[in-house]
Amino acid sequence: MSHPWEEIDLNTYEAHMASAEVYQLQTLNKITRQQLIEYKPSTVAILGVAGGNGLENIDKEITKRVYCIDVNKKYLDACRIRYPNLLEILEFIHCDLSRNDAILPLSDIHICNLIIEYLGEESFGRLIYNSKNNVNIITCVIQKNCGVNFVSPSDHSSEFEPIMAIHNDIDEKKLVKILESIDFSFIKNELYKLPNGKYFLRLDFKRK
């Protein structure tokens, strides 16, 4: 049985995310750059890497291994093609992170931008708990919809029907509580405004 994200064409996804009325691809790129600059990781795991938006911000003098994780193998194949200059440090992991037995690789930081919405707070907490010895810093972005549809209107928004069934509106207080209960301290939050009154909320956690 295929995963809903396997039904979403990468070019359609990126065109939607980059459109002026959505402007999320550009914002996520900026955030990923900040995450990398702030933590200067030797190793980084990117959950839900999609087509690799933000990988161009990798500094190979600092970062020696990047784990690119996604449920859609075609997305990972696109990363291979798009970033030939990084291939020696990229490791591709084709994985459904919603599985009870999913384990994250050992890494200095785990970037979890717009992935928790498709797992839910409890499932994400289980993933982190199961991978606890491999996780030090979690830096994540969730989308706050402010009462409007989570898929912003664009010329491509109708193509996102398959993922609506697995989407969750994330309660940041619940997420913080779950991660604190498994010994991760809440260390940072930052807001990024988006069109249509939405915003991204960045939340960072550190293992105690």
Side-chain angles (χ1 to χ4, degrees):
M1 183 177 177
S2 66
H3 189 279
W5 268 107
E6 295 178 289
E7 300 180 43
I8 307 298
D9 175 74
L10 180 60
N11 291 330
T12 300
Y13 168 71
E14 291 181 334
H16 166 78
M17 293 286 282
S19 63
E21 59 268 42
V22 179
Y23 206 73
Q24 293 188 7
L25 202 72
Q26 300 91 327
T27 306
L28 285 172
N29 192 292
K30 172 186 174 182
I31 295 171
T32 301
R33 182 173 183 273
Q34 291 174 347
Q35 290 165 321
L36 292 168
I37 289 173
E38 288 175 24
Y39 290 113
K40 297 179 174 57
S42 176
T43 55
V44 56
I46 303 178
L47 284 61
V49 70
N53 178 43
L55 285 179
E56 67 271 23
N57 297 307
I58 294 289
D59 182 345
K60 290 195 291 184
E61 294 297 314
I62 297 172
T63 302
K64 306 303 181 182
R65 177 63 57 185
V66 181
Y67 298 100
C68 300
I69 306 170
D70 210 283
V71 72
N72 189 323
K73 187 176 182 298
K74 291 181 180 179
Y75 293 179
L76 298 176
D77 291 341
C79 287
R80 285 190 181 92
I81 294 169
R82 291 176 173 182
Y83 298 96
N85 61 312
L86 295 176
L87 283 180
E88 71 270 23
I89 68 168
L90 298 182
E91 183 170 331
F92 300 97
I93 301 175
H94 180 216
C95 177
D96 181 356
L97 295 174
S98 68
R99 289 174 54 98
N100 290 338
D101 59 352
I103 301 289
L104 297 174
L106 176 64
S107 186
D108 294 336
I109 70 169
H110 287 73
I111 294 177
C112 311
N113 296 342
L114 297 193
I115 183 72
I116 303 174
E117 282 87 344
Y118 302 101
L119 299 174
E121 299 96 342
E122 291 91 351
S123 181
F124 182 71
R126 181 179 64 245
L127 174 66
I128 298 301
Y129 179 79
N130 290 344
S131 311
K132 191 173 180 179
N133 292 334
N134 294 339
V135 180
N136 182 37
I137 296 288
I138 303 164
T139 176
C140 61
V141 170
I142 60 175
Q143 178 177 305
K144 302 303 292 182
N145 299 308
C146 302
V148 298
N149 195 303
F150 86 96
V151 177
S152 298
S154 79
D155 292 341
H156 308 280
S157 54
S158 62
E159 302 295 323
F160 289 83
E161 185 69 31
I163 63 171
M164 291 185 179
I166 61 169
H167 175 267
N168 303 271
D169 285 329
I170 300 302
D171 181 337
E172 62 271 24
K173 292 181 180 179
K174 181 178 180 181
L175 179 64
V176 169
K177 184 176 181 180
I178 287 173
L179 291 177
E180 287 184 337
S181 74
I182 55 174
D183 294 330
F184 281 84
S185 299
F186 177 40
I187 59 172
K188 181 185 178 73
N189 72 298
E190 191 165 351
L191 297 177
Y192 303 82
K193 291 183 179 179
L194 298 168
N196 304 322
K198 297 182 179 184
Y199 62 89
F200 281 156
L201 176 59
R202 176 180 162 187
L203 305 169
D204 288 13
F205 302 85
K206 182 178 176 62
R207 186 172 63 178
K208 295 179 181 177

